[in-house]
Amino acid sequence: MADAPKTLVELRQVTRSYSGVEVLHPVDLALRDGEFMTVLGPSGSGKTTILRIIGGLVRPTSGAVLLDGADIATMPINRRPFNTVFQDYALFPHMTVEANVGYGLRVRGERRARIRDRVAETLSLVALEGFGGRYPAQLSGGQQQRVALARAIICEPRLILLDEPLGALDAALRRQMQQFLKRLQKEIRTTFLFVTHDQEEAVTMADRICVMNHGRIEQIGSPEEVYYRPTNEYVARFFGDNNLIDVSIGGVEDAGRALAGKLGAFHCAGDSSSDIAEGRPGKLLVRPEAIVIGGGEGADNRVRVRIEDVSFVGPVSQVLARPLADPGQVLMVKLQSRAAGAPVAAGEEVDLAWSAGECHVVTA
């Protein structure tokens, strides 16, 4: 059996208050050695506060910040074996790329030959060979970001903190940089803690995702766990599109957990719903891409609907439908556009179907 991943940094009951207002409630978080963790949440959720506490930019009001089991909550920022990459990159405009990247080694007092060799190696690692003599103003946004990354990794920190570093890039370049960051992290095997409000960034890069809300951690898990098995309604609504259907939670049957609501009877199998007490109100969650229109012979769950709108959205066609049993609710279906053609039109009445294994239930 493989050894469990070692914990590098751990927050234990960490809080942070400003003028008596608690913006970070007691938080427990363990960051594993060598992993890529993303802290995800909207503005004001506390994600940047966590990054700044770990980095030493802010001291916690209470609680412990552990590095290899030793409390570093009061350790000065310059003594922590961490480096931070900010959204604005913070490059020295009067220095060349080479000088920017080698700055940390010069501060350490490394020999010139050593600095020259390490800078060349690091620029090669971030695909900036030949750019050493340029100045930041002569670089694109993506190139400037890679210079900032090179400067962060050249001193071989044990943890790299990234505070929404892709926010200033256009959509196409942002996707390229997501792939680049993930490859880089795997290559250098350094722990990354990445803060973002963008769900796509979190799914694309993270080994684990920590979802934040109003200074509290709502869920920590792999992208697949958070996407398909959210622990509560907040995560389900925040993390991608989700159809949420009000139900009353019944007992466990052969086809899965029995559920009942305005839209009819349903079954949900293969998730944590079996741990929920019978009789509680809940939400049945089903992803738009898991629903079949008009077919689904033998499907465990079925709802009769009237199609309200069909929209072409590039590779995906989005269908909105209102259940006949509850026209106040709207259900979303996503189909591959090439395969979809025009399967339905506004005004048609059809069945929507999905299997018991393609849904999830949480308490309301």
Side-chain angles (χ1 to χ4, degrees):
M1 180 181 293
D3 293 336
K6 175 186 174 184
T7 297
L8 177 66
V9 174
E10 185 177 1
L11 304 183
R12 290 184 182 173
Q13 291 294 289
V14 166
T15 69
R16 176 63 194 184
S17 299
Y18 292 97
S19 302
V21 177
E22 196 168 53
V23 298
L24 190 67
H25 302 282
V27 163
D28 293 304
L29 177 65
L31 187 58
R32 300 167 183 166
D33 195 17
E35 79 170 328
F36 195 128
M37 173 176 274
T38 296
V39 181
L40 174 70
S43 297
S45 62
K47 58 187 186 296
T48 298
T49 301
I50 284 180
L51 179 143
R52 293 172 66 85
I53 286 174
I54 293 175
L57 298 166
V58 170
R59 285 191 178 183
T61 302
S62 63
V65 181
L66 307 179
L67 171 63
D68 295 330
D71 195 351
I72 61 167
T74 60
M75 180 184 288
I77 185 172
N78 62 325
R79 291 184 55 200
R80 302 187 186 204
F82 311 149
N83 269 337
T84 304
V85 178
F86 297 100
Q87 185 174 342
D88 62 2
Y89 314 139
L91 301 178
F92 299 116
H94 62 287
M95 292 185 183
T96 64
V97 167
E98 192 174 62
N100 265 283
V101 174
Y103 179 79
L105 296 180
R106 289 200 305 277
V107 171
R108 284 185 178 182
E110 297 276 359
R111 293 179 294 106
R112 285 187 179 182
R114 164 70 172 164
I115 295 173
R116 183 178 62 248
D117 291 345
R118 287 288 293 126
V119 168
E121 292 171 8
T122 307
L123 288 179
S124 175
L125 192 62
V126 298
L128 285 176
E129 305 98 319
F131 286 79
R134 298 191 188 185
Y135 289 86
Q138 297 172 308
L139 304 176
S140 69
Q143 290 167 342
Q144 289 184 43
Q145 186 189 62
R146 281 183 279 156
V147 172
L149 282 167
R151 187 175 62 183
I153 67 179
I154 196 169
C155 293
E156 300 179 326
R158 299 187 61 193
L159 170 64
I160 294 179
L161 304 163
L162 301 110
D163 189 8
E164 304 211 42
L166 308 185
L169 304 179
D170 63 56
L173 185 54
R174 190 160 61 244
R175 284 191 291 272
Q176 292 176 16
M177 289 305 302
Q178 289 168 10
Q179 297 167 357
F180 173 81
L181 275 172
K182 185 61 176 176
R183 288 197 306 270
L184 177 66
Q185 191 266 337
K186 292 301 181 186
E187 186 169 348
I188 65 177
R189 299 181 181 180
T190 300
T191 307
F192 277 26
L193 181 67
F194 186 98
V195 165
T196 184
H197 63 274
D198 189 295
Q199 295 96 331
E200 180 185 332
E201 286 182 359
V203 171
T204 300
M205 295 184 292
D207 297 317
R208 288 193 301 154
I209 297 171
C210 171
V211 183
M212 299 288 298
N213 177 33
H214 292 301
R216 293 182 171 87
I217 293 176
E218 297 285 353
Q219 184 173 358
I220 300 174
S222 70
E224 292 81 7
E225 289 169 340
V226 176
Y227 187 83
Y228 288 112
R229 296 184 296 281
T231 54
N232 57 44
E233 185 176 347
Y234 172 81
V235 178
R237 291 188 182 278
F238 179 73
F239 204 83
D241 295 317
N242 232 324
N243 292 299
L244 284 81
I245 301 171
D246 289 319
V247 292
S248 176
I249 300 171
V252 179
E253 301 176 351
D254 290 342
R257 196 68 187 256
L259 310 166
K262 285 185 179 180
L263 304 192
F266 303 103
H267 289 92
C268 184
D271 63 15
S272 60
S273 62
S274 60
D275 300 325
I276 300 175
E278 188 173 346
R280 296 193 63 182
K283 298 280 185 179
L284 173 65
L285 318 177
V286 55
R287 289 285 178 186
E289 63 271 19
I291 298 176
V292 177
I293 295 179
E297 289 79 6
D300 303 296
N301 301 299
R302 190 178 297 274
V303 175
R304 190 70 176 173
V305 299
R306 179 175 288 107
I307 302 300
E308 181 167 281
D309 181 68
V310 181
S311 303
F312 175 77
V313 193
V316 173
S317 287
Q318 178 177 286
V319 179
L320 300 180
R322 291 188 182 273
L324 300 187
D326 185 10
Q329 180 160 13
V330 176
L331 299 179
M332 178 188 293
V333 184
K334 289 185 178 180
L335 309 169
Q336 293 296 315
S337 293
R338 285 190 179 276
V344 288
E348 285 188 52
E349 289 188 11
V350 296
D351 284 341
L352 303 184
W354 63 92
S355 72
E358 291 283 2
C359 53
H360 183 72
V361 64
V362 297
T363 52

